[in-house]
Coordinates of all heavy atoms in Angstrom, one line a residue:
M27 N 25.7 28.8 40.0 CA 26.7 29.6 40.5 C 27.1 30.7 39.4 O 27.2 31.8 39.8 CB 27.9 28.7 40.8 CG 29.1 29.5 41.2 SD 29.0 30.8 42.4 CE 28.3 29.9 43.7
K28 N 27.1 30.3 38.2 CA 27.4 31.2 37.1 C 26.4 32.3 37.1 O 26.8 33.5 36.9 CB 27.4 30.4 35.8 CG 27.7 31.2 34.6 CD 27.7 30.3 33.4 CE 27.7 31.1 32.1 NZ 27.6 30.3 30.9
E29 N 25.2 32.1 37.3 CA 24.1 33.1 37.2 C 24.3 34.1 38.4 O 24.0 35.3 38.2 CB 22.8 32.5 37.2 CG 22.4 31.7 35.9 CD 23.0 30.2 36.0 OE1 23.4 29.8 37.1 OE2 23.1 29.6 34.9
L30 N 24.6 33.5 39.5 CA 24.8 34.4 40.7 C 25.9 35.4 40.5 O 25.7 36.6 40.8 CB 25.0 33.5 42.0 CG 25.3 34.3 43.3 CD1 24.1 35.1 43.7 CD2 25.8 33.3 44.3
I31 N 27.0 34.9 40.1 CA 28.2 35.8 39.9 C 27.9 36.8 38.8 O 28.2 38.0 38.9 CB 29.4 35.0 39.5 CG1 29.8 34.1 40.6 CG2 30.6 35.9 39.1 CD1 30.2 34.8 41.9
E32 N 27.2 36.4 37.7 CA 26.9 37.3 36.6 C 25.9 38.4 37.1 O 26.1 39.6 36.8 CB 26.2 36.5 35.5 CG 26.0 37.4 34.2 CD 25.6 36.5 33.1 OE1 25.6 35.3 33.2 OE2 25.2 37.1 32.1
L33 N 24.9 38.0 37.9 CA 23.9 39.0 38.5 C 24.6 40.0 39.4 O 24.4 41.2 39.2 CB 22.9 38.3 39.3 CG 21.8 39.1 39.9 CD1 20.9 39.7 38.9 CD2 21.1 38.3 41.0
I34 N 25.5 39.6 40.2 CA 26.2 40.5 41.1 C 27.1 41.4 40.3 O 27.2 42.6 40.6 CB 27.0 39.7 42.2 CG1 26.0 39.0 43.1 CG2 27.9 40.7 43.0 CD1 26.6 38.0 44.1
A35 N 27.9 40.9 39.4 CA 28.8 41.7 38.6 C 28.1 42.7 37.8 O 28.6 43.8 37.7 CB 29.7 40.7 37.7
R36 N 27.0 42.3 37.2 CA 26.2 43.3 36.3 C 25.7 44.5 37.2 O 25.6 45.6 36.7 CB 25.1 42.6 35.6 CG 25.5 41.8 34.5 CD 24.4 41.2 33.7 NE 24.8 40.2 32.8 CZ 25.0 40.4 31.5 NH1 24.9 41.7 31.0 NH2 25.4 39.5 30.7
A37 N 25.4 44.2 38.4 CA 24.9 45.3 39.3 C 26.0 46.2 39.7 O 25.8 47.4 40.1 CB 24.3 44.6 40.6
L38 N 27.3 45.7 39.7 CA 28.4 46.6 40.2 C 29.0 47.4 39.1 O 29.6 48.5 39.4 CB 29.5 45.7 40.8 CG 29.2 45.0 42.1 CD1 30.3 44.0 42.4 CD2 29.0 46.0 43.2
V39 N 28.9 47.0 37.9 CA 29.7 47.7 36.8 C 28.9 48.8 36.1 O 27.6 48.8 36.2 CB 30.3 46.7 35.8 CG1 31.2 45.8 36.5 CG2 29.2 45.9 35.1
D40 N 29.5 49.6 35.3 CA 28.9 50.6 34.5 C 28.4 50.0 33.1 O 27.5 50.6 32.5 CB 29.8 51.8 34.2 CG 30.0 52.6 35.5 OD1 29.1 52.6 36.3 OD2 31.1 53.3 35.6
Q41 N 29.1 49.0 32.6 CA 28.8 48.4 31.3 C 28.4 47.0 31.6 O 29.2 46.0 31.4 CB 30.1 48.4 30.4 CG 30.5 49.8 30.1 CD 31.8 49.8 29.3 OE1 32.3 48.8 28.9 NE2 32.3 51.0 29.0
P42 N 27.1 46.7 32.0 CA 26.7 45.4 32.3 C 26.7 44.4 31.1 O 26.8 43.2 31.2 CB 25.3 45.5 32.8 CG 24.9 46.9 32.4 CD 26.1 47.7 32.2
E43 N 26.6 45.0 29.9 CA 26.6 44.1 28.7 C 28.0 43.5 28.4 O 28.1 42.6 27.6 CB 26.1 44.9 27.4 CG 27.0 46.0 27.0 CD 26.9 47.3 27.8 OE1 26.0 47.5 28.6 OE2 27.7 48.2 27.5
A44 N 29.0 44.1 29.0 CA 30.4 43.6 28.8 C 30.8 42.5 29.9 O 32.0 42.1 29.9 CB 31.4 44.7 28.9
V45 N 29.9 42.1 30.7 CA 30.1 41.0 31.7 C 30.0 39.7 31.1 O 28.9 39.4 30.6 CB 29.2 41.2 32.9 CG1 29.4 40.1 33.9 CG2 29.5 42.5 33.6
F46 N 31.0 38.8 31.2 CA 30.9 37.5 30.7 C 31.4 36.5 31.8 O 32.5 36.8 32.4 CB 31.8 37.3 29.5 CG 31.3 38.1 28.3 CD1 31.9 39.3 27.9 CD2 30.2 37.7 27.6 CE1 31.5 40.0 26.9 CE2 29.8 38.4 26.5 CZ 30.4 39.6 26.2
V47 N 30.7 35.5 32.1 CA 31.1 34.5 33.1 C 31.1 33.1 32.4 O 30.1 32.7 31.7 CB 30.0 34.5 34.2 CG1 30.4 33.4 35.3 CG2 29.9 35.8 34.9
T48 N 32.2 32.4 32.5 CA 32.3 31.1 32.0 C 32.7 30.2 33.2 O 33.4 30.6 34.1 CB 33.4 31.0 30.9 OG1 34.6 31.5 31.4 CG2 33.0 31.8 29.7
E49 N 32.3 28.9 33.0 CA 32.6 27.9 34.1 C 33.3 26.8 33.5 O 32.8 26.2 32.5 CB 31.3 27.5 34.8 CG 31.5 26.7 36.0 CD 30.2 26.4 36.8 OE1 29.2 27.0 36.4 OE2 30.3 25.7 37.8
I50 N 34.4 26.4 34.0 CA 35.2 25.3 33.6 C 35.0 24.2 34.6 O 35.5 24.4 35.8 CB 36.7 25.6 33.4 CG1 36.8 26.8 32.4 CG2 37.5 24.4 32.9 CD1 38.1 27.5 32.3
N51 N 34.4 23.1 34.3 CA 34.1 22.0 35.2 C 35.2 21.0 35.2 O 35.7 20.6 34.2 CB 32.8 21.4 34.9 CG 31.6 22.3 35.1 OD1 31.6 23.0 36.1 ND2 30.6 22.3 34.2
G52 N 35.5 20.5 36.5 CA 36.4 19.4 36.7 C 35.7 18.4 37.5 O 34.5 18.5 37.8
S53 N 36.4 17.3 37.9 CA 35.8 16.3 38.7 C 35.5 16.7 40.1 O 34.4 16.5 40.6 CB 36.7 15.0 38.7 OG 37.9 15.4 39.2
H54 N 36.4 17.4 40.7 CA 36.2 17.9 42.1 C 36.3 19.4 42.2 O 35.9 19.9 43.3 CB 37.3 17.3 43.0 CG 37.2 15.8 43.1 ND1 36.2 15.2 43.8 CD2 38.0 14.8 42.6 CE1 36.3 13.9 43.7 NE2 37.5 13.6 43.0
T55 N 36.8 20.1 41.2 CA 37.0 21.5 41.3 C 36.5 22.1 40.0 O 36.7 21.6 38.9 CB 38.5 21.9 41.4 OG1 39.0 21.2 42.6 CG2 38.7 23.3 41.6
S56 N 35.9 23.3 40.1 CA 35.4 24.1 39.0 C 36.0 25.5 39.1 O 36.1 26.0 40.2 CB 33.9 24.1 38.9 OG 33.3 22.9 38.7
I57 N 36.3 26.1 37.9 CA 36.8 27.4 37.9 C 35.7 28.3 37.2 O 35.2 28.0 36.2 CB 38.1 27.5 37.1 CG1 39.2 26.6 37.8 CG2 38.6 28.9 37.0 CD1 40.4 26.5 37.0
V58 N 35.4 29.4 37.9 CA 34.4 30.4 37.3 C 35.3 31.6 36.9 O 35.9 32.2 37.8 CB 33.4 30.7 38.4 CG1 32.4 31.8 37.8 CG2 32.6 29.5 38.8
E59 N 35.3 31.9 35.6 CA 36.0 33.0 35.1 C 35.1 34.2 34.9 O 34.0 34.1 34.3 CB 36.7 32.7 33.8 CG 37.8 31.6 34.0 CD 38.4 31.3 32.6 OE1 37.9 31.6 31.6 OE2 39.5 30.7 32.7
L60 N 35.4 35.4 35.5 CA 34.6 36.6 35.3 C 35.4 37.6 34.5 O 36.6 37.9 34.8 CB 34.3 37.1 36.7 CG 33.7 38.5 36.8 CD1 32.3 38.5 36.1 CD2 33.5 39.0 38.2
R61 N 34.8 38.0 33.4 CA 35.4 39.0 32.5 C 34.5 40.2 32.5 O 33.3 40.1 32.3 CB 35.6 38.5 31.1 CG 36.6 37.4 31.0 CD 36.6 36.8 29.6 NE 37.3 35.6 29.5 CZ 38.6 35.4 29.3 NH1 39.4 36.5 29.1 NH2 39.1 34.2 29.3
V62 N 35.1 41.4 32.7 CA 34.4 42.7 32.6 C 35.2 43.6 31.7 O 36.4 43.4 31.3 CB 34.2 43.3 34.0 CG1 33.3 42.4 34.8 CG2 35.5 43.6 34.7
A63 N 34.6 44.8 31.4 CA 35.3 45.8 30.6 C 36.5 46.3 31.4 O 36.5 46.3 32.6 CB 34.3 46.9 30.2
K64 N 37.5 46.8 30.7 CA 38.7 47.3 31.3 C 38.4 48.4 32.3 O 39.0 48.6 33.3 CB 39.7 47.8 30.3 CG 40.7 46.7 29.9 CD 41.9 47.4 29.3 CE 42.9 46.4 28.8 NZ 43.7 45.7 29.8
E65 N 37.4 49.3 31.9 CA 37.1 50.4 32.8 C 36.4 50.0 34.1 O 36.4 50.7 35.1 CB 36.1 51.4 32.0 CG 36.7 52.0 30.8 CD 36.6 51.0 29.6 OE1 35.7 50.2 29.6 OE2 37.4 51.2 28.7
D66 N 35.8 48.8 34.1 CA 35.1 48.3 35.3 C 35.9 47.4 36.2 O 35.3 46.9 37.2 CB 33.8 47.7 34.8 CG 32.8 48.6 34.2 OD1 32.8 49.8 34.7 OD2 32.1 48.3 33.4
I67 N 37.1 47.0 35.8 CA 37.8 46.0 36.6 C 38.1 46.5 38.0 O 38.0 45.7 39.0 CB 39.2 45.7 35.9 CG1 39.7 44.4 36.5 CG2 40.2 46.8 35.9 CD1 39.0 43.2 36.1
G68 N 38.2 47.8 38.2 CA 38.4 48.4 39.6 C 37.2 48.2 40.4 O 37.3 48.1 41.6
K69 N 36.0 48.3 39.8 CA 34.8 48.2 40.6 C 34.6 46.7 41.0 O 34.0 46.5 42.1 CB 33.6 48.6 39.8 CG 33.7 50.1 39.5 CD 32.5 50.6 38.7 CE 32.6 52.1 38.6 NZ 31.6 52.7 37.8
I70 N 35.0 45.8 40.2 CA 34.9 44.4 40.6 C 35.9 44.0 41.7 O 35.6 43.3 42.6 CB 35.1 43.5 39.4 CG1 33.9 43.7 38.4 CG2 35.2 42.0 39.8 CD1 32.6 43.2 39.0
I71 N 37.1 44.5 41.6 CA 38.2 44.2 42.6 C 37.9 45.0 43.9 O 38.0 44.4 44.9 CB 39.6 44.5 42.0 CG1 39.9 43.6 40.9 CG2 40.6 44.4 43.1 CD1 41.1 43.8 40.1
G72 N 37.6 46.3 43.8 CA 37.2 47.0 45.0 C 38.5 47.6 45.6 O 39.6 47.2 45.3
K73 N 38.3 48.3 46.7 CA 39.4 48.9 47.4 C 40.1 47.8 48.2 O 39.4 47.1 49.0 CB 38.8 50.0 48.4 CG 39.6 51.2 48.5 CD 39.0 52.2 49.5 CE 38.7 53.5 48.7 NZ 38.3 54.5 49.6
R74 N 41.4 47.7 48.0 CA 42.2 46.7 48.6 C 41.7 45.3 48.4 O 41.9 44.4 49.2 CB 42.4 46.9 50.1 CG 43.1 48.2 50.4 CD 43.4 48.4 51.8 NE 44.0 49.6 52.1 CZ 44.8 49.9 53.1 NH1 44.9 49.0 54.0 NH2 45.3 51.1 53.3
G75 N 40.9 45.1 47.3 CA 40.4 43.7 47.0 C 39.2 43.3 47.8 O 38.9 42.1 47.8
R76 N 38.6 44.2 48.5 CA 37.5 43.8 49.3 C 36.3 43.2 48.6 O 35.7 42.2 49.0 CB 37.1 44.9 50.2 CG 38.1 45.2 51.3 CD 37.6 46.3 52.2 NE 38.6 46.6 53.2 CZ 38.6 47.7 53.9 NH1 37.6 48.5 53.9 NH2 39.6 47.8 54.8
T77 N 35.9 43.8 47.4 CA 34.8 43.3 46.7 C 35.1 41.9 46.1 O 34.3 41.0 46.1 CB 34.4 44.3 45.5 OG1 34.2 45.6 46.1 CG2 33.2 43.9 44.8
A78 N 36.3 41.8 45.6 CA 36.7 40.5 45.0 C 36.7 39.4 46.1 O 36.3 38.3 45.9 CB 38.1 40.6 44.4
D79 N 37.2 39.8 47.3 CA 37.2 38.8 48.4 C 35.8 38.4 48.8 O 35.5 37.3 49.2 CB 37.9 39.4 49.7 CG 39.4 39.4 49.5 OD1 39.9 38.7 48.6 OD2 40.1 40.2 50.2
A80 N 34.9 39.4 48.8 CA 33.5 39.1 49.1 C 32.8 38.2 48.1 O 32.1 37.3 48.4 CB 32.7 40.4 49.2
L81 N 33.1 38.4 46.8 CA 32.6 37.5 45.8 C 33.2 36.1 46.0 O 32.5 35.1 45.8 CB 33.0 38.0 44.4 CG 32.2 39.2 43.8 CD1 32.9 39.7 42.6 CD2 30.8 38.8 43.6
R82 N 34.5 36.0 46.3 CA 35.1 34.7 46.5 C 34.5 34.0 47.8 O 34.3 32.8 47.8 CB 36.6 34.8 46.7 CG 37.2 35.1 45.3 CD 38.7 35.1 45.4 NE 39.2 35.3 44.0 CZ 39.9 36.4 43.7 NH1 40.2 37.3 44.6 NH2 40.4 36.5 42.4
T83 N 34.1 34.8 48.8 CA 33.5 34.2 50.0 C 32.1 33.6 49.6 O 31.7 32.5 50.1 CB 33.3 35.3 51.1 OG1 34.6 35.8 51.4 CG2 32.7 34.7 52.3
L84 N 31.4 34.4 48.8 CA 30.1 33.8 48.3 C 30.2 32.6 47.5 O 29.5 31.6 47.7 CB 29.3 34.9 47.5 CG 28.7 36.0 48.2 CD1 28.2 37.1 47.2 CD2 27.6 35.5 49.1
V85 N 31.2 32.5 46.7 CA 31.5 31.3 45.8 C 31.8 30.2 46.8 O 31.3 29.0 46.6 CB 32.6 31.6 44.8 CG1 33.1 30.3 44.2 CG2 32.1 32.6 43.8
N86 N 32.7 30.4 47.7 CA 33.0 29.3 48.7 C 31.9 28.8 49.5 O 31.7 27.6 49.7 CB 34.2 29.8 49.6 CG 35.5 29.8 48.9 OD1 35.7 29.1 47.9 ND2 36.4 30.7 49.3
A87 N 31.0 29.7 49.9 CA 29.8 29.3 50.7 C 28.9 28.4 49.9 O 28.4 27.4 50.3 CB 29.1 30.6 51.2
V88 N 28.6 28.8 48.6 CA 27.8 28.0 47.8 C 28.4 26.7 47.4 O 27.7 25.7 47.3 CB 27.4 28.9 46.5 CG1 26.6 28.0 45.5 CG2 26.6 30.1 46.9
S89 N 29.7 26.7 47.2 CA 30.4 25.5 46.8 C 30.4 24.5 47.9 O 30.4 23.3 47.7 CB 31.8 25.8 46.3 OG 32.6 26.2 47.3
S90 N 30.5 24.9 49.2 CA 30.5 24.0 50.3 C 29.1 23.3 50.4 O 29.0 22.2 50.8 CB 30.9 24.7 51.6 OG 29.9 25.6 51.9
K91 N 28.1 24.0 50.0 CA 26.8 23.4 50.0 C 26.6 22.4 49.0 O 26.0 21.4 49.2 CB 25.7 24.6 49.8 CG 24.4 24.2 50.1 CD 24.0 25.0 51.4 CE 22.5 25.0 51.5 NZ 22.1 24.5 52.8
A92 N 27.3 22.6 47.8 CA 27.2 21.7 46.7 C 28.3 20.6 46.8 O 28.4 19.7 46.0 CB 27.4 22.4 45.4
K93 N 29.1 20.7 47.9 CA 30.2 19.7 48.1 C 31.1 19.6 46.9 O 31.6 18.5 46.5 CB 29.6 18.3 48.4 CG 28.9 18.4 49.7 CD 28.4 17.0 50.1 CE 27.7 17.2 51.5 NZ 26.7 16.2 51.8
K94 N 31.4 20.7 46.3 CA 32.4 20.8 45.2 C 33.2 22.1 45.4 O 32.6 23.1 45.8 CB 31.6 20.9 43.9 CG 32.4 20.7 42.7 CD 31.6 20.5 41.4 CE 32.5 20.2 40.3 NZ 31.8 20.0 39.0
R95 N 34.4 22.1 45.1 CA 35.3 23.2 45.2 C 35.2 24.1 44.0 O 35.3 23.7 42.9 CB 36.8 22.7 45.4 CG 37.7 23.8 45.5 CD 37.9 24.1 47.0 NE 39.1 25.0 47.1 CZ 39.0 26.1 47.8 NH1 38.0 26.4 48.5 NH2 40.1 26.9 47.8
L96 N 34.9 25.4 44.2 CA 34.8 26.4 43.2 C 35.9 27.5 43.4 O 36.1 27.8 44.5 CB 33.4 27.1 43.1 CG 32.3 26.2 42.7 CD1 31.0 26.9 42.9 CD2 32.4 25.8 41.3
W97 N 36.4 27.9 42.3 CA 37.5 29.0 42.4 C 37.0 30.1 41.4 O 36.7 29.9 40.3 CB 38.8 28.4 41.9 CG 39.9 29.3 42.1 CD1 40.6 29.9 41.1 CD2 40.6 29.7 43.3 NE1 41.6 30.7 41.7 CE2 41.6 30.5 43.0 CE3 40.3 29.3 44.7 CZ2 42.4 31.1 44.0 CZ3 41.1 29.9 45.6 CH2 42.2 30.8 45.3
L98 N 37.1 31.3 41.9 CA 36.7 32.5 41.1 C 37.9 33.2 40.6 O 38.8 33.6 41.4 CB 35.8 33.5 41.9 CG 35.5 34.8 41.2 CD1 34.5 34.5 40.1 CD2 34.8 35.7 42.2
E99 N 38.0 33.3 39.3 CA 39.1 34.0 38.7 C 38.6 35.3 38.0 O 37.6 35.2 37.2 CB 39.8 33.2 37.6 CG 40.6 32.0 38.1 CD 41.9 32.5 38.7 OE1 42.5 33.4 38.3 OE2 42.3 31.8 39.7
I100 N 39.2 36.4 38.3 CA 38.8 37.7 37.7 C 39.8 38.0 36.6 O 41.0 38.2 36.9 CB 38.7 38.8 38.7 CG1 37.7 38.5 39.8 CG2 38.4 40.1 38.0 CD1 37.6 39.4 40.9
I101 N 39.3 38.0 35.3 CA 40.3 38.1 34.2 C 40.1 39.5 33.6 O 39.0 39.9 33.3 CB 40.0 37.0 33.2 CG1 40.0 35.7 33.9 CG2 40.8 37.2 32.0 CD1 40.3 34.5 33.2
D102 N 41.2 40.2 33.4 CA 41.1 41.5 32.8 C 41.5 41.6 31.3 O 41.9 40.7 30.7 CB 42.0 42.6 33.5 CG 43.3 42.0 34.0 OD1 43.3 41.1 34.8 OD2 44.3 42.6 33.6

């Protein structure tokens, strides 16, 4: 999951070297934290949050397949 989010985020931003993805694992829930450069935060969130919602939809689809709850946090 971490690699998928990182790949998509690097394709969206102007500074792909500033993309960092960390995963915090729990027993039933995991949190995936996405950090990008301050200049690129708008590109990750998108207009009215549509890009962020699409990323979260992908995370939820993959997590249901793995039978584990994943949560995407975008950190600025």
